[in-house]
Amino acid sequence: AAPVTPRQRQVAAGPDAEPKARRPRRPKVEPARLDALVAAARQSLEDDKAEDVLVLDVTGRASFTDRMIIATGLADRQIQAMAQHLEEALEKLGLKLSRNAIQASPDWVLIDAGDLVVHLFKPEARAMYALERMWGPDSPVGEGSGGA
């Protein structure tokens, strides 16, 4: 039988096969535009009564983004409303999120806006994942990131 899934094709090709080309990373947004997106996101979250809103500059620590916002919501409905209003605020600035840019679980919503990633947590999940410790100013600089 011919390999059907990408993983089966990779295994069938063997270890000496050329690695599949990765999709190129989107170009970085201008610093002023990133600051405007962060400000709009923060304002949207504050308007929705998010708690403990924290903006982290993860440039040099993360290859997938430059800014990370972490916020807490107390109930499912509040977190879902925060995510919807945040998407609308970013869209007003011309940033249309793709369909898969918002990922949700019962305790956590992740919004991937490229150079800005937003995490909306219930309090218990935020304490458990402790992203502030993982990505905060005292976290190590990532390999190949060029430093902070």
Side-chain angles (χ1 to χ4, degrees):
V4 178
T5 67
R7 176 73 180 136
Q8 288 173 334
R9 285 191 288 272
Q10 179 185 7
V11 169
D16 296 329
E18 288 291 318
K20 185 176 178 183
R22 290 187 149 204
R23 190 173 19 171
R25 184 169 169 6
R26 288 182 287 201
K28 291 200 172 283
V29 298
E30 295 294 321
R33 176 150 170 76
L34 181 57
D35 290 343
L37 293 171
V38 168
R42 176 179 273 201
Q43 186 62 54
S44 175
L45 293 170
E46 289 173 357
D47 290 349
D48 284 336
K49 308 293 187 234
E51 295 187 354
D52 300 321
V53 178
L54 178 64
V55 178
L56 297 173
D57 182 347
V58 295
T59 307
R61 289 187 189 86
S63 62
F64 58 90
T65 193
D66 286 339
R67 297 290 183 284
M68 190 178 295
I69 298 178
I70 304 169
T72 302
L74 301 178
D76 291 342
R77 289 185 70 173
Q78 180 190 17
I79 292 173
Q80 294 305 317
M82 287 168 29
Q84 180 180 355
H85 296 154
L86 182 59
E87 181 178 12
E88 291 166 2
L90 296 176
E91 195 170 321
K92 284 180 184 176
L93 291 176
L95 181 65
K96 178 85 170 116
L97 298 176
S98 66
R99 184 174 304 176
N100 62 350
I102 300 176
Q103 303 293 319
S105 76
D107 297 327
W108 184 2
V109 173
L110 169 86
I111 301 170
D112 181 356
D115 288 328
L116 171 63
V117 172
V118 181
H119 299 272
L120 307 175
F121 286 106
K122 284 187 177 175
E124 310 80 36
R126 183 169 179 172
M128 181 175 72
Y129 289 105
L131 293 183
E132 294 92 333
R133 279 199 330 245
M134 186 183 309
W135 295 107
D138 297 330
S139 67
V141 175
E143 289 182 29
S145 63

